[in-house]
Short mmCIF file of all heavy atoms in Angstrom, two decimals:
data_model
loop_
_atom_site.label_atom_id
_atom_site.label_comp_id
_atom_site.label_asym_id
_atom_site.label_seq_id
_atom_site.Cartn_x
_atom_site.Cartn_y
_atom_site.Cartn_z
N ILE A 1 82.71 101.44 110.02
CA ILE A 1 82.33 102.24 108.85
C ILE A 1 81.54 101.39 107.87
O ILE A 1 80.53 101.84 107.31
CB ILE A 1 83.58 102.84 108.18
CG1 ILE A 1 84.22 103.90 109.09
CG2 ILE A 1 83.22 103.47 106.84
CD1 ILE A 1 85.58 104.39 108.61
N GLU A 2 81.99 100.15 107.66
CA GLU A 2 81.28 99.26 106.73
C GLU A 2 79.88 98.94 107.24
O GLU A 2 78.92 98.93 106.47
CB GLU A 2 82.07 97.98 106.52
CG GLU A 2 83.33 98.18 105.69
CD GLU A 2 84.23 96.96 105.63
OE1 GLU A 2 84.10 96.06 106.50
OE2 GLU A 2 85.07 96.91 104.71
N LYS A 3 79.73 98.67 108.55
CA LYS A 3 78.41 98.39 109.11
C LYS A 3 77.50 99.60 108.98
O LYS A 3 76.32 99.46 108.65
CB LYS A 3 78.54 98.00 110.59
CG LYS A 3 79.04 96.61 110.81
CD LYS A 3 79.14 96.29 112.28
CE LYS A 3 79.76 94.93 112.51
NZ LYS A 3 79.92 94.63 113.94
N GLN A 4 78.04 100.78 109.26
CA GLN A 4 77.24 102.00 109.17
C GLN A 4 76.79 102.23 107.73
O GLN A 4 75.64 102.59 107.48
CB GLN A 4 78.06 103.19 109.65
CG GLN A 4 77.30 104.50 109.64
CD GLN A 4 78.16 105.66 110.08
OE1 GLN A 4 79.39 105.60 110.04
NE2 GLN A 4 77.52 106.73 110.50
N ALA A 5 77.68 101.99 106.79
CA ALA A 5 77.33 102.17 105.38
C ALA A 5 76.29 101.15 104.94
O ALA A 5 75.37 101.49 104.20
CB ALA A 5 78.58 102.06 104.52
N ASN A 6 76.43 99.91 105.40
CA ASN A 6 75.45 98.88 105.04
C ASN A 6 74.08 99.19 105.64
O ASN A 6 73.06 98.93 105.01
CB ASN A 6 75.93 97.51 105.49
CG ASN A 6 77.08 96.99 104.65
OD1 ASN A 6 77.24 97.40 103.50
ND2 ASN A 6 77.88 96.12 105.21
N ASN A 7 74.06 99.72 106.85
CA ASN A 7 72.79 100.08 107.48
C ASN A 7 72.12 101.25 106.78
O ASN A 7 70.90 101.35 106.79
CB ASN A 7 73.00 100.41 108.96
CG ASN A 7 73.32 99.18 109.78
OD1 ASN A 7 73.06 98.06 109.37
ND2 ASN A 7 73.90 99.39 110.95
N SER A 8 72.92 102.11 106.17
CA SER A 8 72.33 103.25 105.47
C SER A 8 72.02 102.92 104.01
O SER A 8 71.51 103.76 103.28
CB SER A 8 73.25 104.48 105.55
OG SER A 8 74.47 104.22 104.89
N GLY A 9 72.34 101.69 103.58
CA GLY A 9 71.96 101.23 102.25
C GLY A 9 72.91 101.61 101.15
O GLY A 9 72.53 101.64 99.98
N LEU A 10 74.17 101.90 101.46
CA LEU A 10 75.13 102.22 100.41
C LEU A 10 75.59 100.95 99.71
O LEU A 10 75.77 99.92 100.33
CB LEU A 10 76.36 102.93 101.01
CG LEU A 10 76.13 104.30 101.61
CD1 LEU A 10 77.43 104.82 102.22
CD2 LEU A 10 75.63 105.28 100.57
N SER A 11 75.78 101.05 98.40
CA SER A 11 76.25 99.89 97.65
C SER A 11 77.75 99.71 97.88
O SER A 11 78.43 100.59 98.37
CB SER A 11 75.99 100.08 96.15
OG SER A 11 76.84 101.09 95.64
N SER A 12 78.27 98.53 97.51
CA SER A 12 79.69 98.25 97.74
C SER A 12 80.58 99.17 96.91
O SER A 12 81.67 99.53 97.33
CB SER A 12 80.01 96.80 97.42
OG SER A 12 79.72 96.51 96.07
N LYS A 13 80.12 99.59 95.71
CA LYS A 13 80.92 100.51 94.89
C LYS A 13 81.04 101.86 95.56
O LYS A 13 82.10 102.46 95.59
CB LYS A 13 80.29 100.66 93.50
CG LYS A 13 80.45 99.45 92.63
CD LYS A 13 79.87 99.68 91.27
CE LYS A 13 80.03 98.45 90.41
NZ LYS A 13 79.47 98.63 89.07
N VAL A 14 79.95 102.35 96.10
CA VAL A 14 79.97 103.63 96.80
C VAL A 14 80.78 103.51 98.07
O VAL A 14 81.56 104.40 98.42
CB VAL A 14 78.53 104.12 97.11
CG1 VAL A 14 78.54 105.35 97.98
CG2 VAL A 14 77.77 104.37 95.82
N LEU A 15 80.64 102.40 98.74
CA LEU A 15 81.36 102.17 99.99
C LEU A 15 82.87 102.18 99.77
O LEU A 15 83.61 102.76 100.56
CB LEU A 15 80.93 100.84 100.61
CG LEU A 15 81.60 100.44 101.92
CD1 LEU A 15 81.30 101.47 102.99
CD2 LEU A 15 81.09 99.08 102.36
N ASN A 16 83.35 101.58 98.70
CA ASN A 16 84.78 101.53 98.41
C ASN A 16 85.35 102.91 98.11
O ASN A 16 86.53 103.14 98.27
CB ASN A 16 85.08 100.57 97.26
CG ASN A 16 84.93 99.13 97.68
OD1 ASN A 16 85.08 98.81 98.85
ND2 ASN A 16 84.62 98.28 96.73
N LYS A 17 84.50 103.84 97.66
CA LYS A 17 84.96 105.20 97.37
C LYS A 17 84.78 106.13 98.56
O LYS A 17 85.19 107.27 98.51
CB LYS A 17 84.20 105.75 96.16
CG LYS A 17 84.56 105.05 94.88
CD LYS A 17 83.85 105.65 93.70
CE LYS A 17 84.24 104.94 92.43
NZ LYS A 17 83.58 105.51 91.26
N HIS A 18 84.17 105.65 99.62
CA HIS A 18 83.94 106.45 100.82
C HIS A 18 85.28 106.93 101.36
O HIS A 18 86.17 106.13 101.62
CB HIS A 18 83.19 105.59 101.85
CG HIS A 18 82.62 106.37 102.97
ND1 HIS A 18 83.32 106.63 104.11
CD2 HIS A 18 81.41 106.97 103.12
CE1 HIS A 18 82.57 107.34 104.93
NE2 HIS A 18 81.41 107.55 104.34
N SER A 19 85.46 108.23 101.53
CA SER A 19 86.77 108.78 101.87
C SER A 19 87.28 108.30 103.24
O SER A 19 88.47 108.00 103.38
CB SER A 19 86.74 110.31 101.83
OG SER A 19 85.88 110.81 102.84
N ASP A 20 86.41 108.21 104.24
CA ASP A 20 86.86 107.76 105.56
C ASP A 20 87.33 106.31 105.50
O ASP A 20 88.35 105.96 106.11
CB ASP A 20 85.75 107.89 106.59
CG ASP A 20 85.40 109.33 106.92
OD1 ASP A 20 86.26 110.21 106.69
OD2 ASP A 20 84.28 109.58 107.40
N LEU A 21 86.60 105.49 104.79
CA LEU A 21 86.97 104.08 104.67
C LEU A 21 88.27 103.93 103.89
O LEU A 21 89.16 103.17 104.30
CB LEU A 21 85.85 103.30 103.98
CG LEU A 21 86.08 101.81 103.82
CD1 LEU A 21 86.25 101.14 105.17
CD2 LEU A 21 84.93 101.18 103.06
N LYS A 22 88.40 104.67 102.83
CA LYS A 22 89.62 104.62 102.02
C LYS A 22 90.82 105.08 102.83
O LYS A 22 91.88 104.46 102.79
CB LYS A 22 89.43 105.49 100.78
CG LYS A 22 90.48 105.34 99.74
CD LYS A 22 90.11 106.13 98.51
CE LYS A 22 91.11 105.93 97.41
NZ LYS A 22 90.75 106.67 96.20
N GLN A 23 90.65 106.13 103.58
CA GLN A 23 91.73 106.65 104.41
C GLN A 23 92.11 105.65 105.50
O GLN A 23 93.30 105.44 105.77
CB GLN A 23 91.31 107.98 105.04
CG GLN A 23 92.39 108.66 105.83
CD GLN A 23 91.92 109.98 106.41
OE1 GLN A 23 90.73 110.28 106.43
NE2 GLN A 23 92.85 110.77 106.88
N ALA A 24 91.14 105.02 106.12
CA ALA A 24 91.41 104.04 107.17
C ALA A 24 92.14 102.82 106.61
O ALA A 24 93.07 102.30 107.23
CB ALA A 24 90.11 103.61 107.86
N ARG A 25 91.74 102.37 105.44
CA ARG A 25 92.41 101.21 104.83
C ARG A 25 93.85 101.54 104.45
O ARG A 25 94.75 100.72 104.64
CB ARG A 25 91.63 100.74 103.60
CG ARG A 25 90.37 100.01 103.95
CD ARG A 25 89.64 99.53 102.73
NE ARG A 25 88.48 98.74 103.10
CZ ARG A 25 87.45 98.52 102.31
NH1 ARG A 25 87.44 99.03 101.09
NH2 ARG A 25 86.44 97.79 102.72
N THR A 26 94.07 102.75 103.93
CA THR A 26 95.42 103.17 103.59
C THR A 26 96.29 103.24 104.83
O THR A 26 97.43 102.77 104.84
CB THR A 26 95.39 104.55 102.89
OG1 THR A 26 94.57 104.46 101.73
CG2 THR A 26 96.78 105.00 102.50
N ARG A 27 95.74 103.81 105.88
CA ARG A 27 96.49 103.92 107.14
C ARG A 27 96.77 102.54 107.73
O ARG A 27 97.85 102.30 108.28
CB ARG A 27 95.69 104.78 108.13
CG ARG A 27 96.42 105.06 109.40
CD ARG A 27 97.58 105.99 109.18
NE ARG A 27 98.22 106.23 110.47
CZ ARG A 27 99.52 106.23 110.65
NH1 ARG A 27 100.33 106.03 109.64
NH2 ARG A 27 100.02 106.44 111.83
N LEU A 28 95.82 101.62 107.61
CA LEU A 28 96.01 100.26 108.11
C LEU A 28 97.19 99.59 107.40
O LEU A 28 98.01 98.94 108.06
CB LEU A 28 94.74 99.43 107.93
CG LEU A 28 94.82 97.97 108.35
CD1 LEU A 28 95.16 97.84 109.83
CD2 LEU A 28 93.53 97.24 108.03
N LEU A 29 97.28 99.75 106.10
CA LEU A 29 98.40 99.16 105.37
C LEU A 29 99.74 99.71 105.86
O LEU A 29 100.69 98.97 106.05
CB LEU A 29 98.25 99.41 103.86
CG LEU A 29 97.13 98.64 103.18
CD1 LEU A 29 97.00 99.10 101.73
CD2 LEU A 29 97.38 97.16 103.25
N SER A 30 99.81 101.01 106.09
CA SER A 30 101.06 101.60 106.55
C SER A 30 101.39 101.15 107.97
O SER A 30 102.55 100.89 108.29
CB SER A 30 101.00 103.12 106.41
OG SER A 30 100.84 103.78 107.60
N VAL A 31 100.38 101.04 108.83
CA VAL A 31 100.62 100.60 110.21
C VAL A 31 101.05 99.14 110.24
O VAL A 31 101.93 98.76 111.00
CB VAL A 31 99.35 100.83 111.07
CG1 VAL A 31 99.43 100.11 112.39
CG2 VAL A 31 99.14 102.32 111.30
N GLU A 32 100.45 98.32 109.38
CA GLU A 32 100.85 96.91 109.32
C GLU A 32 102.30 96.77 108.84
O GLU A 32 103.04 95.92 109.34
CB GLU A 32 99.91 96.12 108.42
CG GLU A 32 98.56 95.88 109.05
CD GLU A 32 97.58 95.18 108.14
OE1 GLU A 32 97.71 95.27 106.89
OE2 GLU A 32 96.67 94.54 108.69
N ASP A 33 102.72 97.63 107.91
CA ASP A 33 104.11 97.61 107.48
C ASP A 33 105.05 97.98 108.62
O ASP A 33 106.09 97.38 108.81
CB ASP A 33 104.33 98.57 106.30
CG ASP A 33 103.75 98.06 105.01
OD1 ASP A 33 103.49 96.83 104.91
OD2 ASP A 33 103.55 98.87 104.09
N GLU A 34 104.65 98.98 109.40
CA GLU A 34 105.46 99.38 110.55
C GLU A 34 105.51 98.27 111.60
O GLU A 34 106.54 98.05 112.22
CB GLU A 34 104.92 100.66 111.17
CG GLU A 34 105.14 101.91 110.35
CD GLU A 34 106.60 102.30 110.23
OE1 GLU A 34 107.39 102.00 111.16
OE2 GLU A 34 106.96 102.90 109.21
N ALA A 35 104.39 97.58 111.78
CA ALA A 35 104.35 96.48 112.77
C ALA A 35 105.30 95.36 112.37
O ALA A 35 105.90 94.72 113.23
CB ALA A 35 102.92 95.96 112.90
N LYS A 36 105.45 95.13 111.09
CA LYS A 36 106.36 94.08 110.61
C LYS A 36 107.81 94.41 110.91
O LYS A 36 108.64 93.52 111.04
CB LYS A 36 106.17 93.86 109.10
CG LYS A 36 104.87 93.20 108.75
CD LYS A 36 104.71 93.06 107.26
CE LYS A 36 103.34 92.54 106.92
NZ LYS A 36 103.12 92.51 105.47
N ARG A 37 108.13 95.68 111.03
CA ARG A 37 109.50 96.10 111.31
C ARG A 37 109.89 95.82 112.76
O ARG A 37 111.04 95.89 113.12
CB ARG A 37 109.68 97.58 111.02
CG ARG A 37 109.57 97.90 109.56
CD ARG A 37 109.82 99.34 109.30
NE ARG A 37 109.52 99.65 107.91
CZ ARG A 37 109.34 100.86 107.44
NH1 ARG A 37 109.44 101.89 108.26
NH2 ARG A 37 109.07 101.05 106.18
N ASP A 38 108.91 95.55 113.59
CA ASP A 38 109.12 95.21 115.00
C ASP A 38 109.88 96.30 115.74
O ASP A 38 110.86 96.05 116.44
CB ASP A 38 109.83 93.86 115.12
CG ASP A 38 109.65 93.24 116.50
OD1 ASP A 38 108.61 93.53 117.14
OD2 ASP A 38 110.53 92.48 116.92
N THR A 39 109.41 97.53 115.59
CA THR A 39 109.99 98.67 116.29
C THR A 39 109.54 98.62 117.75
O THR A 39 108.37 98.45 118.03
CB THR A 39 109.51 99.99 115.66
OG1 THR A 39 109.77 99.94 114.25
CG2 THR A 39 110.21 101.18 116.27
N PRO A 40 110.47 98.78 118.69
CA PRO A 40 110.08 98.70 120.11
C PRO A 40 109.21 99.89 120.52
O PRO A 40 109.28 100.96 119.94
CB PRO A 40 111.42 98.73 120.84
CG PRO A 40 112.38 99.36 119.90
CD PRO A 40 111.89 99.03 118.51
N LEU A 41 108.38 99.64 121.54
CA LEU A 41 107.54 100.71 122.07
C LEU A 41 108.40 101.78 122.71
O LEU A 41 109.45 101.51 123.29
CB LEU A 41 106.60 100.16 123.14
CG LEU A 41 105.52 99.19 122.71
CD1 LEU A 41 104.74 98.71 123.93
CD2 LEU A 41 104.58 99.83 121.73
N ASN A 42 107.94 103.03 122.63
CA ASN A 42 108.61 104.13 123.30
C ASN A 42 107.99 104.25 124.69
O ASN A 42 106.98 104.91 124.88
CB ASN A 42 108.45 105.42 122.51
CG ASN A 42 109.27 106.55 123.08
OD1 ASN A 42 109.64 106.53 124.24
ND2 ASN A 42 109.54 107.53 122.23
N LEU A 43 108.60 103.60 125.65
CA LEU A 43 108.04 103.55 127.00
C LEU A 43 108.03 104.91 127.70
O LEU A 43 107.18 105.17 128.55
CB LEU A 43 108.80 102.53 127.85
CG LEU A 43 108.74 101.10 127.31
CD1 LEU A 43 109.57 100.17 128.16
CD2 LEU A 43 107.31 100.60 127.24
N TYR A 44 108.92 105.80 127.33
CA TYR A 44 108.92 107.13 127.93
C TYR A 44 107.68 107.91 127.53
O TYR A 44 107.11 108.63 128.34
CB TYR A 44 110.19 107.91 127.54
CG TYR A 44 111.42 107.36 128.19
CD1 TYR A 44 112.33 106.61 127.47
CD2 TYR A 44 111.66 107.57 129.54
CE1 TYR A 44 113.45 106.07 128.06
CE2 TYR A 44 112.77 107.04 130.16
CZ TYR A 44 113.68 106.31 129.42
OH TYR A 44 114.78 105.79 130.03
#
């Protein structure tokens, strides 16, 4: 998303408000928190 935005000439301020990027960063934080809990994979 960042590369695509840079190629289209968006500034960093606009990029930080980009909804897809913001949503992905928020989801990344939540997934990293879950990864720290070391929950086992559901093999089934």
Side-chain angles (χ1 to χ4, degrees):
I1 292 171
E2 289 172 341
K3 285 180 185 177
Q4 182 182 21
N6 288 336
N7 288 341
S8 64
L10 294 177
S11 70
S12 61
K13 288 182 181 180
V14 173
L15 179 61
N16 287 334
K17 292 183 179 181
H18 194 271
S19 66
D20 291 338
L21 182 60
K22 191 173 183 179
Q23 184 179 14
R25 285 181 175 159
T26 302
R27 185 70 179 136
L28 177 60
L29 290 174
S30 106
V31 167
E32 286 176 335
D33 287 341
E34 288 293 331
K36 289 178 186 175
R37 292 183 188 164
D38 200 28
T39 308
L41 293 177
N42 187 338
L43 299 177
Y44 290 105

